[in-house]
Amino acid sequence: DVVMTQTPVSLPVSLGGQASISCRSSQSLVHSNGNTYLHWYLQKPGQSPQLLIYRVSNRFSGVPDRFSGSGSGTDFTLKISRVEPEDLGDYYCLQSTHFPWTFGGGTKLELK
Amino acid sequence: EIQLQESGPGLVKPSQSLSLTCSVTGYTITSGYDWSWIRKFPGNKMEWMGYISYSGSTNYNPSLKSRISITRDTSKNQFFLQLNSVTTEDTATYYCASGRSGFAYWGQGTLVTVSS
């Protein structure tokens, strides 16, 4: 299985500040079709996960441009600029290039 | 708007089978997408369990070996999860989810506790 190593586990931030979350995979996530299936989710307390970024850098509908994704191969980053209270929660990366699809261990974004 | 909703027992005894239903509205499950089951364990680890595609083919996480089955009822626009021989390790919140690339659509989740 592809192991997704997500860091940090906990990320204290100040409102208005910037946050960066890393996700590294144990093998390249470039599919044979040339696409890279690495996605980012936010799960707020008491809610289901919500898709933020799909295929590395594409913001899902309605996601503010404060969220950006980047990376390639095995190394990916989610950046959140101008953190707002509604951004707090658990962030996960997911790879759906290789079966079985696997999640990172999660990062809790919390107030400093 | 595509909406998914899980339903099923919240308590299952060890060695028995866990059965959940995902009801889909706003989209016909035979029109497209893969329809997945995902679970989140206490402690926050998330696991993709498997999917049934719009054409009816299935793909399962090998970690679940022969315990898992995902089926569907196209007349009711529902798909189902059956997990056999459950243990306390299967206690988790179970989600159904789907989407074109990444899981754009999620149910609200249902907590299933395995306990005698």
Side-chain angles (χ1 to χ4, degrees):
Chain A
D1 296 4
V2 176
V3 177
M4 304 298 290
T5 302
Q6 195 175 329
T7 56
V9 173
S10 174
L11 183 53
V13 295
S14 300
L15 295 179
Q18 180 167 309
S20 180
I21 301 171
S22 169
C23 194
R24 288 183 172 160
S25 56
S26 59
Q27 59 184 274
S28 172
L29 298 186
V30 179
H31 194 275
S32 56
N33 65 13
N35 289 326
T36 299
Y37 295 97
L38 184 285
H39 322 290
W40 290 97
Y41 300 85
L42 163 61
Q43 186 170 29
K44 299 179 186 180
Q47 296 186 19
S48 302
Q50 58 189 81
L51 179 64
L52 297 173
I53 302 286
Y54 64 95
R55 281 191 277 118
V56 182
S57 59
N58 298 278
R59 271 187 303 276
F60 185 60
S61 174
V63 175
D65 60 7
R66 300 183 289 101
F67 292 88
S68 63
S70 62
S72 63
T74 62
D75 201 347
F76 304 91
T77 302
L78 175 71
K79 288 198 170 124
I80 312 160
S81 60
R82 306 183 304 280
V83 171
E84 297 190 4
E86 58 263 33
D87 301 338
L88 303 179
D90 297 327
Y91 288 79
Y92 293 91
C93 58
L94 164 72
Q95 70 82 19
S96 59
T97 296
H98 304 286
F99 286 108
W101 299 343
T102 47
F103 288 87
T107 296
K108 180 176 289 293
L109 188 69
E110 53 193 3
L111 282 180
K112 191 177 289 185
Chain B
E1 180 189 5
I2 298 175
Q3 294 188 324
L4 292 79
Q5 180 154 344
E6 306 89 351
S7 58
L11 180 64
V12 180
K13 288 182 166 38
S15 79
Q16 294 189 345
S17 293
L18 177 164
S19 295
L20 296 176
T21 297
C22 183
S23 300
V24 181
T25 57
Y27 193 85
T28 302
I29 63 174
T30 56
S31 294
Y33 301 155
D34 301 322
W35 302 88
S36 283
W37 287 98
I38 294 161
R39 60 183 178 177
K40 185 175 183 181
F41 297 100
N44 292 342
K45 177 187 171 185
M46 295 192 69
E47 179 181 62
W48 170 77
M49 302 178 70
Y51 69 65
I52 186 163
S53 75
Y54 69 94
S55 65
S57 62
T58 54
N59 198 322
Y60 300 135
N61 192 321
S63 70
L64 298 167
K65 297 179 183 177
S66 56
R67 295 199 297 137
I68 187 174
S69 176
I70 300 177
T71 57
R72 65 183 184 174
D73 183 335
T74 57
S75 68
K76 294 182 179 178
N77 214 38
Q78 296 175 326
F79 64 106
F80 311 102
L81 170 69
Q82 181 170 317
L83 188 64
N84 299 322
S85 305
V86 297
T87 71
T88 55
E89 303 290 304
D90 294 308
T91 293
T93 297
Y94 288 75
Y95 297 94
C96 53
S98 187
R100 181 178 306 282
S101 194
F103 299 114
Y105 313 106
W106 294 72
Q108 83 282 2
T110 186
L111 174 62
V112 178
T113 302
V114 179
S115 174
S116 54

